[in-house]
């Protein structure tokens, strides 16, 4: 990847932004931490010599998706989130499961780091990351997941409008 110090700094920023997103009690702050995480990933793409993917990362994810998140947050009026310390009895299993999975993931990471099984170490084939090649792959091989993602986003927007309308309707009654 080039400079390992740059990688460590970017990885620390990405992990800190992800933790800030998860631990923030304010939903708007969580969305802004998510933007920071997406921008850090875009910088990873630039370092890996994939400027088109970096541009797509910033415009699609940090731009459009986060704007959609903020729209939903503002429409539902859910700026304040319930914190991690506010876990009730029915949600206690989620906390236990998340701790178990985090420890397992950390264990696998440490094992892979110390055993050196991080890949073959051989030649990596050069992948064409031009916009034309990505467009062909997206619309030839992955057309069904692409269309399903669009339908899923449309259903989410309709759900937000319905939830926002019923919430406002109950306040006026």
């Amino acid at each position: 990847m080039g400079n390992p110090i740059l990688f460590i700094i970017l990885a620390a920023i990405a992990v800190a932004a992800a933790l800030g997103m998860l631990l923030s009690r304010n939903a708007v702050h969580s969305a802004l931490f998510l933007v920071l995480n997406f921008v850090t990933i875009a910088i990873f793409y630039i370092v890996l010599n994939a400027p088109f993917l970096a541009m797509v990362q910033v415009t699609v994810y940090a731009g459009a998706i986060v704007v959609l998140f903020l729209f939903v947050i503002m429409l539902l009026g859910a700026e304040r989130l319930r914190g991690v310390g506010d876990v009730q009895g029915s949600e206690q299993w989620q906390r236990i499961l998340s701790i178990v999975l985090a420890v397992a993931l950390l264990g696998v990471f440490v094992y892979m780091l110390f055993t050196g099984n991080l890949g073959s170490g051989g030649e990596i084939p050069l992948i064409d990351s031009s916009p034309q090649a990505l467009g062909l792959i997206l619309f030839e091989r992955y057309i069904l997941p692409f269309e399903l993602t669009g339908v899923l986003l449309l259903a989410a927007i309709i759900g937000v409008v319905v939830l926002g309308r019923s919430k406002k309707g109950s306040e006026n009654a």
Side-chain angles (χ1 to χ4, degrees), residues 3 8 20 65 70 93 98-99 103 106 113 127-128 142 144 152 169:
N3 190 352
I8 291 171
I65 301 297
L70 288 173
W93 66 272
S98 66
I99 290 171
V103 168
L106 185 63
L113 191 62
I127 298 173
D128 185 12
Y142 301 108
L144 181 64
L152 180 67

Side-chain angles (χ1 to χ4, degrees), residues 51-53 55-56 128-139:
F52 178 73
L53 291 177
M55 186 265 313
V56 167
D128 185 12
S129 65
S130 68
Q132 294 86 5
L134 290 174
L136 286 174
I137 289 172
L138 181 65
F139 290 115

Side-chain angles (χ1 to χ4, degrees), residues 55-87:
M55 186 265 313
V56 167
Q57 176 77 21
V58 169
T59 57
V60 172
Y61 289 109
I65 301 297
V66 172
V67 166
L68 180 67
F69 286 171
L70 288 173
F71 174 73
V72 169
I73 289 168
M74 297 301 175
L75 184 66
L76 292 177
E79 290 88 11
R80 298 293 293 167
L81 297 174
R82 220 169 15 107
V84 177
D86 301 337
V87 175

Side-chain angles (χ1 to χ4, degrees), residues 13-117:
I13 293 170
V15 169
L19 287 174
M21 181 196 66
L22 290 173
L23 299 176
S24 178
R25 289 184 179 265
N26 191 324
V28 176
H29 293 165
S30 290
L32 292 175
F33 277 121
L34 185 63
V35 169
L36 177 62
N37 195 321
F38 285 154
V39 169
T40 307
I41 291 171
I43 295 171
F44 272 124
Y45 285 138
I46 290 172
V47 170
L48 290 171
N49 199 20
F52 178 73
L53 291 177
M55 186 265 313
V56 167
Q57 176 77 21
V58 169
T59 57
V60 172
Y61 289 109
I65 301 297
V66 172
V67 166
L68 180 67
F69 286 171
L70 288 173
F71 174 73
V72 169
I73 289 168
M74 297 301 175
L75 184 66
L76 292 177
E79 290 88 11
R80 298 293 293 167
L81 297 174
R82 220 169 15 107
V84 177
D86 301 337
V87 175
Q88 298 170 357
S90 64
E91 297 170 349
Q92 187 68 27
W93 66 272
Q94 292 177 350
R95 176 183 275 182
I96 294 169
L97 182 63
S98 66
I99 290 171
V100 168
L101 290 176
V103 168
L105 181 65
L106 185 63
V108 168
F109 175 72
V110 169
Y111 173 76
M112 295 292 286
L113 191 62
F114 287 123
T115 60
N117 282 337

